[in-house]
């Protein structure tokens, strides 16, 4: 069966009810209304900020968990117990975030403190890992500088006769 649709224009006319009392707000009512609106705006902004902080913490915790799992060499800077403790701490923070008694009713300051605490721990581990990678190169560069300096001092003993043996011993 074919459905036929008919379009009929509707004419709508707005008429203010002449019996309804309409008046302007007084200065006091207007100020009270504006204050109420500003309080609502502040509450909504605080709720958005808290939700953003909670989302940032959750994202950071998942990223930190993945960093611990996926980064090569973590076992060289963390003992197995430290690794387990850090991973357990991250999982505890995720549980805390979803806990109805604590995390869901936590203030923005508590949420940010959890993120800062975890971030400092993860950054310390990553710093040690970078240090572990860069230290051999730094030691090698320092040894090269020391060898070049020793060679230069040996060269000076031949090319700079004005330097006394005492001055050479101070250089060595």
């Amino acid at each position: 069966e074919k459905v036929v649709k008919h379009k009929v224009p509707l004419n709508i006319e707005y008429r203010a009810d002449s019996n309804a009392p309409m008046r302007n707000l007084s200065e006091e009512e207007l100020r009270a209304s504006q204050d109420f609106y500003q309080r609502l705006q502040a509450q909504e902004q605080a709720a958005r900020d808290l939700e953003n902080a909670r989302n940032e913490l959750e994202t950071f915790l998942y990223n930190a968990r993945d960093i611990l799992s996926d980064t090569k060499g973590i076992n060289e800077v963390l003992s197995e117990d430290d690794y387990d403790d850090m991973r357990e701490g991250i999982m505890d923070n995720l549980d805390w975030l979803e806990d109805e008694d604590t995390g869901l009713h936590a203030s923005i300051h508590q949420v940010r403190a959890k993120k800062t605490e975890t971030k400092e721990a993860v950054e310390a581990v990553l710093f040690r890992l970078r240090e572990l990678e860069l230290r051999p190169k730094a030691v090698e560069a320092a040894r090269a500088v020391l060898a070049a300096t020793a060679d230069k001092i040996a060269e000076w003993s031949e090319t700079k006769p004005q330097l006394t043996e005492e001055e050479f011993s101070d250089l060595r």
Side-chain angles (χ1 to χ4, degrees), residues 25-39:
L25 295 176
S26 68
E27 285 293 321
E28 184 178 312
E29 291 171 324
L30 182 61
R31 211 172 305 111
S33 178
Q34 288 171 339
D35 289 346
F36 179 71
Y37 176 74
Q38 288 174 350
R39 280 195 312 274

Side-chain angles (χ1 to χ4, degrees), residues 35-100:
D35 289 346
F36 179 71
Y37 176 74
Q38 288 174 350
R39 280 195 312 274
L40 284 178
Q41 288 291 91
Q43 289 173 352
E44 288 176 1
Q45 185 61 44
R48 281 192 298 272
D49 290 346
L50 176 60
E51 193 57 35
N52 285 338
R54 290 176 50 77
N55 287 339
E56 287 174 11
L57 173 60
E58 184 178 28
T59 300
F60 180 79
L61 290 171
Y62 282 119
N63 287 338
R65 183 193 65 186
D66 293 344
I67 285 171
L68 280 180
S69 299
D70 299 341
T71 304
K72 294 178 184 177
I74 288 285
N75 58 349
E76 294 178 35
V77 294
L78 281 179
S79 69
E80 191 172 324
D81 289 340
D82 289 340
Y83 176 84
D84 291 341
D85 289 345
M86 183 170 269
R87 186 160 173 81
E88 184 177 322
I90 290 170
M91 298 312 289
D92 287 347
N93 284 341
L94 282 167
D95 291 342
W96 173 85
L97 193 58
E98 298 301 323
D99 188 270
E100 289 186 23

